[in-house]
Amino acid sequence: MPNRFVNVRTALGALALAAGISSFGGAGLALAADAPSVSAQQIEYRQAMYTVMAGNFAPLGAMATGKAPFNAKEAQKRAERVAYISNMLSEGFPPGSNQAKGTHTHAKPEIWSNRAEFDKLMKNLQTETAALVVATRTGDEAKFKPAAAATGKACKACHDKFKQED
Ligand code: HEC
């Protein structure tokens, strides 16, 4: 019997994740008591998205600052990835995912209490990365550099306000 209960609980958790449901309500919270919480997985999910985005932004930063030679094809590929992920990030911050047992987050609670401002900075990133894609498609380094710098500023603007250091 206890085994069967665990299976049901795991299945519910998987189902909720698959459907993108962020909260079960009271019954769900009780079920999730000693299983990895949905919030912990949401936190890990958004951190993973940021890691992949930063991994693709780093070569762009290197090219924009002259630490790596400009390569138009490479710049376009990386810019498209950064832009793609920037459109997914909001999904990583559903209500109730501001903290979770067993996971450390650098997301400030103000994201959820000042959502309009956070969304504005997210939209700003999406606008700048879309412009970066357009710039890299020209193959023109002179157009690429300011667009990469503007994207970097969009990252920093949000980190300054909504990301804590440790
Ligand atoms: C609208 C807000 C916002 C924007 C824009 C933003 N970030 Fe972040 N970033 C965050 C927050 C909040 C966290 C902390 C997430 C957490 O720990 O739960 C974070 C975390 C990160 C992390 C750490 C991930 C980890 O493994 O813990 C990296 C790397 C990162 N961001 C890079 C970037 C880069 C590069 C850009 C721009 C291309 C960017 N971010 C734009 C808000 C933002």
Side-chain angles (χ1 to χ4, degrees):
M1 264 334 236
N3 279 344
R4 201 173 143 244
F5 184 59
V6 167
N7 288 342
V8 168
R9 195 164 54 192
T10 309
L12 277 175
L15 192 68
L17 274 181
I21 297 167
S22 59
S23 162
F24 288 114
L29 286 177
L31 283 172
D34 60 352
S37 74
V38 173
S39 284
Q41 293 178 35
Q42 283 158 340
I43 290 168
E44 282 158 21
Y45 178 61
R46 70 175 171 246
Q47 289 174 341
M49 285 195 280
Y50 279 116
T51 301
V52 174
M53 187 168 70
N56 282 283
F57 190 61
L60 291 169
M63 282 187 239
T65 54
K67 291 192 186 94
F70 178 67
N71 176 324
K73 252 192 115 145
E74 176 75 2
Q76 189 183 330
K77 182 178 89 177
R78 300 290 180 181
E80 278 167 359
R81 290 179 181 173
V82 170
Y84 190 85
I85 296 166
S86 77
N87 287 304
M88 298 165 65
L89 290 172
S90 285
E91 296 163 24
F93 295 89
S97 66
N98 51 331
Q99 56 182 0
K101 223 173 130 193
T103 310
H104 187 59
T105 176
H106 294 101
K108 286 190 181 167
E110 285 77 14
I111 291 169
W112 291 271
S113 62
N114 189 3
R115 189 66 185 216
E117 177 68 13
F118 182 75
D119 288 347
K120 204 177 93 188
L121 292 171
M122 193 65 91
K123 184 90 201 113
N124 183 36
L125 176 71
Q126 290 159 356
T127 303
E128 296 299 358
T129 57
L132 179 61
V133 169
V134 171
T136 59
R137 281 187 186 145
T138 68
D140 182 350
E141 187 175 4
K143 290 202 167 68
F144 159 72
K145 278 190 173 176
T151 298
K153 270 191 197 149
C155 308
K156 189 175 182 303
C158 187
H159 286 189
D160 285 350
K161 189 140 199 186
F162 290 112
K163 181 172 176 276
Q164 50 204 16
E165 289 310 311
D166 46 52

